[in-house]
Amino acid sequence: MSNERIGEHGFLADGLTAALVSRDGSVDWWCPARFDGPSVFARLLDDDGGHWFVRPGDQFDADRSYLGDTLVLRTVFTTQQGTVALTDALALEPGARVHIGLRPPRVLLRMVEGLSGRVPVVMSFAPRFEYGRVTAYLAQHDSGVAVTAGPTTLTMSASVPLECRDGDASAQVTVGEGQRETFALAYTPTYGGGQPPMTDVGAALADTIEAWESWSRAHNYPGRYPELVRRSALVVQGLTYQPSGAVVAAATTSLPEKLGSDRNYDYRYTWVRDFALTLRALKVAACPYEAGRLFTRVAQAVGQPGNQPTPIMYDVEGERDLTERKLETLRGYGGSGPVWVGNDAWRQRQLDVPGEVLDAAWTLRNQLDPMPADVRQLLAALADTAARDWSQPDAGMWEARDVERHHVSSKVLCWVALDRAVRFGTALGSPEDLARWASARDEVRAAVLQQGWRAEVGAYTGAFGSDELDACVLIMPLVGFLPATDERMRATIELIEQRLSSGGLVRRWPGDPAGFLLASFWLVQCLALVGEGERAIAMFEGLAGRASDLGLFAEQIDPRTGEQLGNFPQAFSHIALIDAAWLLTNTTCPPE
């Protein structure tokens, strides 16, 4: 396993896939075909999973940052002999502006520049295809090497001579002030993929920087914490598979929620819930074009639910069968196996999904006017699903794998689905539909108010009949089910803060191993809504300060160590930051 912690990695993306780069210059994760494809570098999950590092040969200190509003990473290595900079990026297509990642060349770019002195630099290229199963055949050519294993070919072009042995390649070069050495690693399908592109690394980096910067300039977020919001919006954009518009939950699989545990899941897929929340966050972050365009993708992927449970997730191109399988080739991050491909949550019933989709549609109603026919049919079908199924138990937002329960958050979001459907009026349904939806909405509300409240606990709990607190009920004021100032709601917020929060990090339930960033940002919003603006601001800024030096969040943070845990970077966490920043902008909190 890489010596780097989860949150110490930089994140590169090109609209098809992502790479993670450690502070010491090692590409420790890359699935070059697409986000959920097989890896060629997986050192993040096992020392033998494959890597590609470029770094000084002697001891060094490293300082890194993204170049402006981009996902182009620059690491400055300082040694006794001098200083060099390493610039890393996944290339965007030449001339790409604003609408990035539509046809990227699938090339990983690396450039070393001498800044002072003369620094010995070493390069080690050790791909391990299909999640570490295969050491590939390597063929050397004039400007580099080509490596092939089954359907995947990687072609490296280098400005320095390479030494090849046993399927790996290495190089050593001394880089002086003003000197540049470059590497380009292109992915092509072995059969029918054509020739890899010829890459001028300097020009490709400049083009990629300008593409990201042009996207950022086109989105003028007007609220609080603009730098944090822009960075989070860039991360969400980087997690978007541009051919379909699917936003993956994270770039990785099987990074643990707790070291040594087996709570390791594959997050390289699109959850309808996450996607709906992403659309709202993109609008908040002044990305209405992306939000409106991507909403039609929801309709295409979900289809018409009919009498079956609403599909909750799918892969980046819309396939729903994500059956889990265990990988025996990788030991897992820090030995925290198993490592999984696929996610069996696709089989679950999660009744909150219609509410998230209809709420996103209501937020984006101006972008959906006139409403496309397939979107109208989807929203009406989801409202019917909520009216029909709200009284059923489900797996809940946290995707419990033991038994189904009557989760309060699921009921609340069924109410949201019906409430938003009624608000759409005859644009969505007939007068008879509206009357039926309104009646079901009122039934749901009455059930939650009666059965969700536990007088013995003094709070709304996670499920009907349960005494266990659950942070997911913090959504109740955020979706308009109850005002945060309602006596019972305020008591719930206070109790969750007292019992589930530590250092501003909120656990999902008692015994949850770490603070869940999504729930933590929910508490920020609830505090603002009850009028505690100064505390909300302090908590928000404390959470933002827990991001990595590159402004990246995983799913969770250990309150004791500050270490980030779970798959990385996590779209949910960045979405929640955007939402919280916008709510702070629109409450009575004093301006910055």
Side-chain angles (χ1 to χ4, degrees):
M1 183 196 80
S2 166
N3 291 325
E4 298 287 347
R5 296 179 176 181
I6 291 169
E8 289 291 301
H9 286 81
F11 168 61
L12 314 178
D14 64 0
L16 292 177
T17 187
L20 298 184
V21 185
S22 69
R23 185 182 290 274
D24 64 359
S26 179
V27 180
D28 286 344
W29 182 256
W30 189 35
C31 305
R34 64 186 207 182
F35 288 107
D36 55 349
S39 66
V40 296
F41 304 128
R43 183 168 169 251
L44 187 63
L45 296 174
D46 193 299
D47 279 336
D48 297 327
H51 68 266
W52 181 24
F53 68 69
V54 178
R55 61 185 179 226
D58 298 324
Q59 188 172 355
F60 58 83
D61 292 323
D63 185 31
R64 63 193 181 157
S65 62
Y66 284 114
L67 296 177
D69 288 329
T70 77
L71 292 180
V72 177
L73 181 64
R74 180 179 172 88
T75 304
V76 176
F77 296 110
T78 301
T79 73
Q80 290 186 345
Q81 294 87 358
T83 305
V84 294
L86 172 66
T87 303
D88 291 321
L90 280 167
L92 299 177
E93 58 268 33
R97 299 296 182 267
V98 182
H99 307 312
I100 62 170
L102 297 178
R103 293 177 299 278
R106 303 181 190 225
V107 179
L108 184 50
L109 306 169
R110 316 199 76 180
M111 181 170 70
V112 182
E113 301 173 85
L115 303 181
S116 67
R118 291 179 57 78
V119 179
V121 172
V122 294
M123 186 278 290
S124 173
F125 172 65
R128 298 293 182 267
F129 293 71
E130 293 191 38
Y131 302 108
R133 286 191 179 93
V134 181
T135 300
Y137 172 76
L138 186 150
Q140 197 160 5
H141 55 78
D142 290 344
S143 59
V145 296
V147 193
T148 296
T152 301
T153 294
L154 300 177
T155 304
M156 181 191 292
S157 299
S159 63
V160 299
L162 303 180
E163 297 183 9
C164 301
R165 181 178 178 182
D166 298 332
D168 299 347
S170 61
Q172 299 184 37
V173 61
T174 298
V175 179
E177 183 175 348
Q179 180 180 346
R180 288 184 173 182
E181 302 296 348
T182 60
F183 305 88
L185 184 63
Y187 159 78
T188 51
T190 300
Y191 308 106
Q195 294 297 311
M198 299 295 292
T199 304
D200 179 328
V201 173
L205 281 171
D207 236 357
T208 300
I209 291 168
E210 177 54 28
W212 283 114
E213 291 277 14
S214 72
W215 185 87
S216 297
R217 288 193 299 269
H219 304 93
N220 185 26
Y221 166 74
R224 283 179 171 272
Y225 307 107
E227 292 184 2
L228 295 174
V229 169
R230 281 199 303 272
R231 176 55 52 191
S232 288
L234 275 168
V235 173
V236 174
Q237 184 71 2
L239 291 170
T240 302
Y241 182 75
Q242 292 295 336
S244 69
V247 181
V248 296
T252 57
T253 180
S254 302
L255 293 181
E257 297 179 10
K258 178 183 178 181
L259 290 177
S261 79
D262 60 357
R263 290 184 61 86
N264 313 318
Y265 303 114
D266 193 347
Y267 274 21
R268 299 171 300 158
Y269 306 111
T270 292
W271 273 254
V272 177
R273 173 194 307 113
D274 298 23
F275 199 16
L277 296 176
T278 299
L279 298 178
R280 292 193 313 179
L282 286 174
K283 184 185 178 186
V284 165
C287 311
Y289 168 79
E290 282 87 351
R293 175 177 68 90
L294 295 181
F295 198 94
T296 60
R297 308 289 191 182
V298 176
Q300 294 168 354
V302 174
Q304 296 303 307
N307 292 321
Q308 299 300 313
T310 303
I312 67 162
M313 61 186 296
Y314 44 89
D315 74 10
V316 295
E317 293 186 347
E319 293 288 339
R320 297 183 189 175
D321 187 342
L322 306 178
T323 300
E324 285 179 348
R325 58 187 176 92
K326 186 187 300 186
L327 295 178
E328 304 294 347
T329 51
L330 300 173
R331 289 168 288 185
Y333 176 87
S336 298
V339 174
W340 297 100
V341 171
N343 192 312
D344 273 347
W346 74 276
R347 305 175 190 273
Q348 292 183 347
R349 174 166 53 195
Q350 297 181 18
L351 297 178
D352 60 300
V353 172
E356 272 119 4
V357 176
L358 272 146
D359 191 45
W362 180 250
T363 302
L364 295 167
R365 58 192 178 277
N366 291 335
Q367 284 72 41
L368 296 174
D369 186 16
M371 188 182 292
D374 56 348
V375 171
R376 182 183 301 106
Q377 292 170 9
L378 170 65
L379 297 181
L382 290 176
D384 286 338
T385 297
R388 182 190 70 221
D389 293 344
W390 72 266
S391 61
Q392 298 296 314
D394 74 336
M397 188 176 291
W398 308 137
E399 301 185 340
R401 293 197 174 196
D402 50 4
V403 297
E404 292 185 333
R405 297 173 177 85
H406 290 279
H407 291 95
V408 170
S409 58
S410 298
K411 310 299 185 191
V412 167
L413 280 156
C414 284
W415 175 89
V416 170
L418 296 161
D419 177 74
R420 304 314 187 252
V422 171
R423 291 194 200 184
F424 271 116
T426 55
L428 191 59
S430 67
E432 293 77 12
D433 291 328
L434 299 177
R436 179 165 47 83
W437 295 336
S439 176
R441 175 196 60 189
D442 296 343
E443 289 179 23
V444 178
R445 180 177 178 82
V448 171
L449 294 177
Q450 180 181 1
Q451 300 180 62
W453 174 259
R454 294 290 285 176
E456 301 89 338
V457 180
Y460 290 102
T461 56
F464 290 179
S466 171
D467 290 338
E468 187 170 279
L469 288 175
D470 193 316
C472 67
V473 301
L474 292 173
I475 67 168
M476 294 169 74
L478 305 185
V479 299
F481 184 86
L482 279 176
T485 52
D486 172 88
E487 181 180 358
R488 289 182 170 184
M489 192 68 242
R490 184 160 191 163
T492 301
I493 294 168
E494 291 174 355
L495 200 59
I496 286 174
E497 184 176 16
Q498 290 170 14
R499 297 188 183 178
L500 297 184
S501 177
S502 175
L505 292 167
V506 179
R507 291 178 168 87
R508 288 168 291 179
W509 57 77
D512 197 15
F516 201 78
L517 283 158
L518 174 68
S520 303
F521 282 115
W522 282 346
L523 181 56
V524 168
Q525 296 177 73
C526 287
L527 292 176
L529 290 172
V530 298
E532 298 193 36
E534 291 185 3
R535 281 217 301 139
I537 288 173
M539 185 176 177
F540 177 92
E541 293 178 355
L543 290 169
R546 291 179 178 272
S548 75
D549 59 324
L550 296 174
L552 303 177
F553 280 120
E555 183 178 45
Q556 301 182 60
I557 294 178
D558 187 325
R560 296 168 299 126
T561 65
E563 183 173 354
Q564 299 209 39
L565 296 168
N567 285 301
F568 182 83
Q570 176 77 212
F572 237 172
S573 301
H574 288 277
I575 291 164
L577 181 148
I578 293 170
D579 285 342
W582 185 241
L583 189 141
L584 290 175
T585 299
N586 289 282
T587 58
T588 57
C589 301
E592 291 184 311

